[in-house]
């Protein structure tokens, strides 16, 4: 009677429910494995994209820094050139005025005469004869007096040359500044776009990491439950077989 009761007890256990649990766990494990793999690949791709955008932003910032340094240098040079040109043009105007008034001697004692002398020797574009005549005048040579009209003409041409050169330089400076401003606007837009993307991808990587960790924990729990259910199923089968042998 005892043997018959034991067999009946094992036969009464919810084997169908246990088998369903095992089947569900196996399907869940397969689904979790697939999802974890998919999310891990997405996380890796997002990390690679994040690295690229971070590098792109760094390159854009470096380009902006270099362009700004160059612009500062060019701007300072342009300001100095304008200042020097204004001084030289003023010196020429003073020289012409002095010549026309017959007061060249007083002008030759000024710093303006020294600046004109240096400019005539190093930078002015003129014929050798005009250069020699101008330098002779600026040195206070006695040969100057008979050539006052010629010297005034040379100085006026030199003033026109300086004014034209300054005008060209200012146009170039304005163009360089406009180009710089356009580049900085484009790079700023690029940096802002990269920053927004970096923030979004950093957030996504964090979210994916949390999801993957949660799924791995769920996978571990499911695998442990599956092992327990499989063990119980085996024990039940062993018990049922033992009961049949006693009967």
């Amino acid at each position: 009677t005892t043997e018959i009761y034991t067999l009946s007890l094992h036969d009464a256990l919810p084997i169908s429910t246990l088998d369903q649990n095992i089947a569900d766990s196996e399907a869940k494990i397969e689904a979790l494995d697939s999802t974890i793999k998919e999310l891990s690949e997405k996380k890796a791709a997002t990390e690679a994209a994040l690295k690229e955008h971070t590098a792109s932003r760094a390159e854009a910032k470096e380009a902006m820094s270099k362009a700004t340094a160059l612009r500062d240098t060019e701007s300072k040079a342009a300001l100095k050139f304008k200042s020097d040109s204004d001084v030289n043009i003023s010196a020429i105007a003073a020289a012409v005025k002095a010549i026309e008034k017959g007061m060249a001697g007083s002008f030759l004692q000024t710093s303006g005469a020294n600046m004109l002398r240096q400019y005539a020797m190093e930078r002015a574009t003129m014929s050798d004869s005009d250069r020699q005549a101008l330098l002779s005048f600026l040195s206070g040579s006695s040969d100057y007096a008979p050539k006052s009209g010629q010297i005034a003409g040379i100085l006026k041409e030199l003033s026109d040359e300086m004014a034209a050169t300054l005008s060209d330089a200012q146009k170039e400076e304005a163009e360089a500044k406009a180009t710089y401003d356009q580049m900085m606007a484009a790079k700023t837009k690029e940096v802002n776009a990269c920053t927004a993307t970096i923030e979004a991808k950093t957030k996504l990587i964090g979210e994916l990491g949390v999801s993957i960790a949660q799924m791995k924990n769920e996978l571990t729990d499911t695998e442990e439950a599956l092992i327990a259910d499989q063990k119980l199923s085996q024990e039940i089968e062993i018990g049922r077989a033992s009961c049949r042998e006693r009967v």
Side-chain angles (χ1 to χ4, degrees):
T1 304
T2 302
E3 293 175 349
I4 294 173
Y5 170 77
T6 303
L7 178 60
S8 298
L9 176 63
H10 282 294
D11 286 342
L13 290 174
I15 298 300
S16 61
T17 300
L18 185 59
D19 288 343
Q20 185 61 51
N21 287 345
I22 290 173
D24 291 344
S25 293
E26 290 174 339
K28 186 175 183 180
I29 288 171
E30 183 178 355
L32 285 171
D33 278 334
S34 177
T35 303
I36 289 172
K37 180 180 179 182
E38 178 183 346
L39 292 182
S40 296
E41 291 174 350
K42 183 176 182 180
K43 182 172 179 286
T46 304
E47 288 171 338
L50 173 62
K51 184 177 180 180
E52 291 179 0
H53 281 88
T54 300
S56 295
R57 183 176 67 174
E59 290 175 1
K61 286 184 175 181
E62 183 179 3
M64 292 171 72
S65 178
K66 290 181 177 179
T68 298
L70 177 59
R71 181 85 285 274
D72 287 345
T73 299
E74 292 176 341
S75 179
K76 289 176 181 178
L79 289 173
K80 185 178 185 305
F81 182 76
K82 183 180 185 306
S83 176
D84 291 345
S85 297
D86 288 343
V87 169
N88 288 332
I89 290 172
S90 295
I92 291 176
V96 171
K97 185 176 180 180
I99 292 172
E100 291 176 343
K101 289 185 176 182
M103 300 173 62
S106 61
F107 170 77
L108 295 177
Q109 305 304 314
T110 66
S111 60
N114 291 328
M115 285 186 285
L116 282 180
R117 186 181 300 109
Q118 183 176 0
Y119 186 86
M121 289 189 297
E122 298 177 0
R123 298 169 58 188
T125 302
M126 60 178 67
S127 66
D128 290 340
S129 59
D130 284 349
R131 191 188 309 277
Q132 187 59 43
L134 180 57
L135 290 174
S136 178
F137 158 68
L138 293 172
S139 66
S141 170
S142 59
D143 292 338
Y144 142 70
K147 303 177 182 178
S148 59
Q150 177 188 1
I151 296 302
I154 293 173
L155 288 174
K156 289 178 180 178
E157 289 181 2
L158 187 57
S159 178
D160 291 341
E161 175 194 321
M162 287 183 179
T165 301
L166 176 59
S167 177
D168 290 342
Q170 289 179 313
K171 289 179 182 178
E172 290 178 3
E173 168 63 8
E175 291 173 357
K177 184 179 183 304
T179 299
Y180 167 78
D181 289 342
Q182 291 174 358
M183 187 278 284
M184 289 297 288
K187 288 298 180 182
T188 297
K189 184 177 181 180
E190 180 181 348
V191 167
N192 290 340
C194 285
T195 298
T197 301
I198 287 170
E199 291 174 353
K201 290 191 179 299
T202 299
K203 180 181 178 182
L204 178 58
I205 289 171
E207 293 172 347
L208 289 171
V210 171
S211 296
I212 291 171
Q214 291 175 339
M215 287 188 178
K216 285 183 176 180
N217 290 334
E218 187 176 358
L219 177 61
T220 298
D221 292 342
T222 305
E223 288 173 336
E224 291 175 352
L226 175 61
I227 292 173
D229 287 343
Q230 288 174 332
K231 182 179 179 181
L232 178 59
S233 178
Q234 292 174 355
E235 290 175 351
I236 290 173
E237 288 300 326
I238 292 173
R240 292 172 66 182
S242 177
C243 287
R244 291 191 184 94
E245 289 176 359
R246 290 194 186 98
V247 173

